[in-house]
Amino acid sequence: MRTRRWSRSAYLEFAITQTIRVAGYSAVVFVFAIFAFLLAEGAPALREVPLRDLLGSRWYPIEGFYGLIPILLGTLLVTLGAALIAVPLGIATAVFIAEVAPRGLRETLKPLVEILAGLPSVLLGFLGITLLAPQLYAFLGLSTGLTAFTGALLLGWIAIPTIVSVAEDSLDAVPRTYREAALALGATRWQIIWRVTLPAARSGVLVAVMLGIGRGLGETMAVMMVTGNAAVLPTTLGSLFRPVRTMTATIAAEMGEVANGSVHYHTLFLIGIVLFLISWLVNLAAASVVFRIRTRAERVLS
Amino acid sequence: MPTHSAKRQTSLLALGLLLGFCACAPSPSPTNPVPAVTIVNKGSDTMVNLALAWAEAYHAARPSVNLSVTGGGSGTGIAALVNRTVDLANASRAIKPEERAEAESRGVDSIEHVVARDAIAVIVHRDNPVQQLTLQQISDIYSGKINRWSEVGGLDKPIVRLSRETNSGTHVYFLEQVLRLGNPDDRTLFAADTLLLPSSEGITTELGYNENAIGYDGLGYVTDAVRVLAIARSSQGPYTRPSAETVNNDTYPISRDLYMYSAGQAEGEILAYLQWILSPEGQAIVADLGFVPVGG
């Protein structure tokens, strides 16, 4: 009786362990499978389109122009602009919620930010196209409201809740004793935030920033609605206030009608590969920084 | 003029009908007093709402005829016709010679039926003083040769070019018939800074506030918030605005026929359906959805 029960629970434990293991491995398998699929569909483009054309400055695939540079730079311009807006604001908001705000305010702000993070981006895109773009057109005297700047503002707005939510969690996880020790040494509140809490939560804050940038990089619908989608090569700083075309918007706009297996189809997958590599690099950079922080912390402690 | 919600409703209704057909089509039982006929109709996305509205009204009038309507693009519809998987292909462009040859090599004689027309209106902001343009001027504006409104009789402001995305049949039509003025050897392209907006809605919204912008849209999408320009084939005129009358007497230059193609001469129920589409009842639906009725 006893042994049977034992074996059943052991069997159960084995099954649970294996399920968890498979779930864990599946993430790795899926990432590789996706990349393999992208490669299989996108690599033919490298053979079909001469490299000189891929590096050209004109993207107009229905007439055989496959220059990736304008849409690559368009993506970078919009994403960087969004990061410049979202990172300082997001971290500041997280610090405010975690460290400064009184308890009542904090309990209202936190769920509100989380709701904001869950808003569908197409809704924000709609607000962008009907409210933000006309306002920017009027206030800044632009030739059109559909610009890289509009996209960056909107993307920043989309990325902020993600950054706030994750960064606040990691600030919250910093042990109370750290703050109390700093307070005992006579540190001001600002000194505690800047010299103790933020550095202690640095890896979590960095993950927050990375997730925010990742959200911006992959954002499609809102960006497609407000950036005007003109594949102009952004050459000067003034390009920020002119329309651009991003890689995600290009894929979304053109994938629907493209003939399966055509050069255009393969090139869209090539864009997917480039996007994959960029987000991989962002992850890698963040991971290496986090790793470096950790090893230094371990050295200090030992 | 159709509102979006009305359109959505129509397609939902028709989708429901369609699902109903799918359920009952495969079982033509001999005990059924009226044998059900199914007409399969596929093609142009421009026409899909129109085709759904037709199918819905026709099925209501003649319940024994089932209609299955899907979009997918003009090319998809014609390919399906060649493969004999549809009875009628919708196309917002005429069949290409190579498509016709492909069809003939498979023993399919594609017969063309003009079922409606679509006028493409060139639109600007309401306060834009420019009232009329020639086709050549529009071509020069969109190809980037003309960059300021003052060059075509307007204010000294930059021109912001708005267009539909390249996957839109309307974009391709505009490129071939307006930018290249119908010349197949012309390699003119849209200026690189042309804004490619994903929807007709996007174009009208931008034109609602932007005094610099110029755009184009199917007549059915034009609202009172924008100004429709009068267009002429040459600078001698006449300048005409798009309407059912000017499209049908061929004075408005930017319009296209919308087609249905049948495999071989239409007969039986398919012929009856095509005749109904061309009847006043069928053409009233065309006008309701903002397209131009034929012969009216």
Side-chain angles (χ1 to χ4, degrees):
Chain A
M1 193 71 175
R2 182 158 253 222
T3 50
R4 266 187 78 180
R5 203 173 280 163
W6 259 107
S7 72
R8 190 187 291 164
S9 80
Y11 174 75
L12 203 68
E13 193 179 310
F14 177 76
I16 291 172
T17 321
Q18 289 307 309
T19 313
I20 291 173
R21 179 168 295 159
V22 167
Y25 285 151
S26 70
V28 180
V29 171
F30 280 136
V31 169
F32 276 101
I34 289 170
F35 191 60
F37 180 72
L38 281 179
L39 266 186
E41 298 286 343
L46 290 172
R47 203 179 54 234
E48 290 158 352
V49 186
L51 196 64
R52 198 163 44 86
D53 289 2
L54 284 175
L55 299 178
S57 61
R58 182 79 209 232
W59 174 262
Y60 195 67
I62 59 171
E63 288 288 324
F65 292 87
Y66 294 106
L68 296 180
I69 302 299
I71 55 176
L72 178 70
L73 292 181
T75 297
L76 294 181
L77 186 68
V78 174
T79 312
L80 276 178
L84 284 180
I85 295 164
V87 170
L89 274 177
I91 293 179
T93 311
V95 166
F96 177 76
I97 294 177
E99 305 288 323
V100 183
R103 196 181 172 78
L105 189 59
R106 185 179 169 177
E107 297 304 314
T108 20
L109 274 179
K110 188 99 208 277
L112 276 181
V113 167
E114 249 126 58
I115 289 172
L116 211 58
L119 279 184
S121 64
V122 65
L123 191 73
L124 293 168
F126 193 64
L127 291 178
I129 208 170
T130 52
L131 292 175
L132 188 62
Q135 294 301 325
L136 287 175
Y137 166 81
F139 281 135
L140 302 179
L142 305 172
S143 61
T144 168
L146 304 175
T147 64
F149 182 66
T150 320
L153 273 184
L154 205 65
L155 263 192
W157 177 249
I158 289 171
I160 282 175
T162 311
I163 296 179
V164 172
S165 187
V166 178
E168 203 270 341
D169 281 343
S170 65
L171 286 172
D172 213 35
V174 173
R176 177 156 292 276
T177 48
Y178 282 29
R179 299 190 186 89
E180 284 164 356
L183 202 62
L185 289 170
T188 63
R189 183 180 248 182
W190 168 247
Q191 284 169 332
I192 296 174
I193 292 170
W194 190 245
R195 311 289 284 271
V196 179
T197 330
L198 264 180
R202 202 192 274 175
S203 67
V205 172
L206 208 75
V207 169
V209 168
M210 196 192 79
L211 281 175
I213 292 178
R215 177 110 206 251
L217 200 64
E219 172 52 47
T220 306
M221 203 57 218
V223 168
M224 180 159 87
M225 288 164 90
V226 301
T227 53
N229 303 317
V232 199
L233 201 64
T235 43
T236 60
L237 212 61
S239 305
L240 194 58
F241 297 99
R242 281 199 284 273
V244 289
R245 189 178 183 87
T246 64
M247 295 195 281
T248 47
T250 302
I251 295 177
E254 294 172 12
M255 201 40 114
E257 281 275 315
V258 76
N260 212 314
S262 62
V263 180
H264 187 185
Y265 175 89
H266 291 144
T267 315
L268 288 182
F269 272 98
L270 188 67
I271 297 177
I273 294 177
V274 175
L275 267 173
F276 190 99
L277 290 178
I278 293 176
S279 62
W280 182 69
L281 281 178
V282 170
N283 274 281
L284 203 70
S288 75
V289 174
V290 171
F291 185 69
R292 212 180 305 147
I293 293 168
R294 196 165 295 154
T295 49
R296 203 177 60 196
E298 275 155 13
R299 216 168 40 235
V300 170
L301 287 176
S302 62
Chain B
M1 206 157 293
T3 64
H4 278 271
S5 64
K7 264 190 183 171
R8 180 74 40 80
Q9 212 169 25
T10 318
S11 51
L12 276 178
L13 264 172
L15 192 73
L17 287 172
L18 205 125
L19 288 173
F21 303 152
C22 295
C24 63
S27 56
S29 72
T31 53
N32 202 342
V34 191
V37 185
T38 301
I39 300 177
V40 185
N41 185 197
K42 180 177 181 150
S44 162
D45 283 322
T46 305
M47 293 169 67
V48 75
N49 280 329
L50 180 61
L52 281 168
W54 273 331
E56 193 192 343
Y58 194 70
H59 181 72
R62 258 171 257 192
S64 66
V65 181
N66 294 329
L67 293 130
S68 129
V69 179
T70 42
S74 305
T76 325
I78 290 170
L81 187 80
V82 173
N83 293 331
R84 296 174 182 274
T85 56
V86 297
D87 301 305
L88 288 171
N90 300 335
S92 59
R93 58 169 171 80
I95 191 168
K96 290 177 191 165
E98 55 265 33
E99 286 168 335
R100 194 180 285 280
E102 168 78 10
E104 272 162 16
S105 75
R106 301 208 192 179
V108 174
D109 191 14
S110 49
I111 305 293
E112 183 176 290
H113 312 270
V114 176
V115 291
R117 290 208 174 90
D118 187 17
I120 294 171
V122 177
I123 45 185
V124 295
H125 186 266
R126 234 182 335 185
D127 296 340
N128 193 322
V130 173
Q131 301 280 346
Q132 55 186 41
L133 290 173
T134 64
L135 281 181
Q136 185 65 53
Q137 281 173 324
I138 300 172
S139 168
D140 289 347
I141 286 173
Y142 271 97
S143 62
K145 289 197 196 100
I146 294 179
N147 288 300
R148 297 197 77 82
W149 281 109
S150 49
E151 293 173 62
V152 289
L155 304 172
D156 188 25
K157 288 186 165 178
I159 297 178
V160 173
R161 303 170 253 270
L162 310 179
S163 164
R164 294 289 308 283
E165 270 289 353
T166 51
N167 66 4
S168 150
T170 318
H171 176 102
V172 176
Y173 173 84
F174 204 79
L175 174 71
E176 288 171 355
Q177 297 304 317
V178 181
L179 258 82
R180 296 174 176 172
L181 302 164
N183 178 1
D185 300 324
D186 198 334
R187 292 271 67 102
T188 309
L189 295 176
F190 279 90
D193 62 0
T194 306
L195 277 69
L196 300 181
L197 302 185
S199 64
S200 297
E201 181 72 29
I203 289 185
T204 34
T205 310
E206 179 72 7
L207 279 167
Y209 73 86
N210 194 337
E211 293 180 25
N212 307 319
I214 183 169
Y216 62 88
D217 242 336
L219 192 53
Y221 289 100
V222 173
T223 64
D224 294 338
V226 298
R227 178 202 295 288
V228 176
L229 293 180
I231 308 295
R233 286 193 170 82
S234 72
S235 53
Q236 277 88 48
Y239 289 88
T240 46
R241 286 172 200 282
S243 69
E245 195 195 348
T246 56
V247 167
N248 278 321
N249 67 19
D250 206 30
T251 51
Y252 186 72
I254 320 176
S255 68
R256 56 179 172 175
D257 290 339
L258 301 177
Y259 308 92
M260 278 190 179
Y261 285 93
S262 59
Q265 285 298 343
E267 50 194 29
E269 290 296 341
I270 298 174
L271 180 64
Y273 183 48
L274 283 169
Q275 283 170 342
W276 175 84
I277 284 175
L278 294 173
S279 74
E281 202 183 336
Q283 292 299 307
I285 293 172
V286 173
D288 279 349
L289 291 185
F291 293 99
V292 177
V294 281

